[in-house]
Amino acid sequence: CGITRVAFPTPPGDGTVPVWVAGASGQISAPQLVAARAYVEERRPHTDTPGINHATVVNVDVSALTVRFKPSKNTLANREAVKASIQATINALDISTDADPVTVDEAAIKAAVYSGAPGLVRDVDWSGTDATLAAGEVAVPAGVNSIAFSE
């Protein structure tokens, strides 16, 4: 039903089981959430009451990113590969929990740039800041089409 990320906060001990869910690029649709709830409801233990809810989306703005390619490597294909790598890196992050907080950091974003165009990038500059997500939050990329590319 489109769910690719799931997180469980510490259960409160009253039989409820909170669950946060997200899809590959953020929240799943309302019908997908309803389908997930129905699927779990049919299979849950009688002593537990799962509460399946959307994770809270946090936009990671990468529009301040500047990527400088090596000479003659600033092509549309290479720019698109870098954008796709950044999106995949951010979309692959887990939903943050109190026990396992997720941090989106400069090093991960830069690594995504270099892996998107291996051997073709000369320099990466990002004036963004590292961000640690709160419990129940999930990162999604924003501003990818505003990244500055040059040689």
Side-chain angles (χ1 to χ4, degrees):
C1 65
I3 295 172
T4 59
R5 297 183 266 185
V6 177
F8 301 88
T10 303
D14 60 2
T16 61
V17 181
V19 181
W20 293 307
V21 297
S25 58
Q27 286 188 346
I28 59 174
S29 69
Q32 289 171 316
L33 184 62
V34 168
R37 286 175 176 160
Y39 180 86
V40 171
E41 180 62 27
E42 291 175 7
R43 291 157 180 82
R44 72 174 177 85
H46 294 292
T47 56
D48 294 334
T49 306
I52 301 174
N53 293 297
H54 287 289
T56 302
V57 169
V58 174
N59 290 317
V60 176
D61 187 4
V62 295
S63 63
L65 190 64
T66 301
V67 178
R68 285 179 284 287
F69 285 99
K70 292 179 179 178
S72 73
K73 302 302 179 189
N74 185 12
T75 65
L76 176 61
N78 290 339
R79 290 190 301 268
E80 292 302 315
V82 166
K83 289 188 224 177
S85 182
I86 292 167
Q87 290 172 316
T89 296
I90 294 172
N91 286 335
L93 294 171
D94 292 332
I95 298 171
S96 192
T97 65
D98 288 329
D100 191 15
V102 170
T103 300
V104 181
D105 63 353
E106 179 181 8
I109 299 301
K110 286 183 175 181
V113 171
Y114 287 109
S115 69
L120 305 179
V121 175
R122 181 176 56 180
D123 186 40
V124 180
D125 182 39
W126 187 40
S127 58
T129 58
D130 293 355
T132 300
L133 305 181
E137 292 182 335
V138 65
V140 296
V144 175
N145 289 323
S146 297
I147 295 171
F149 293 101
S150 66
E151 287 188 6

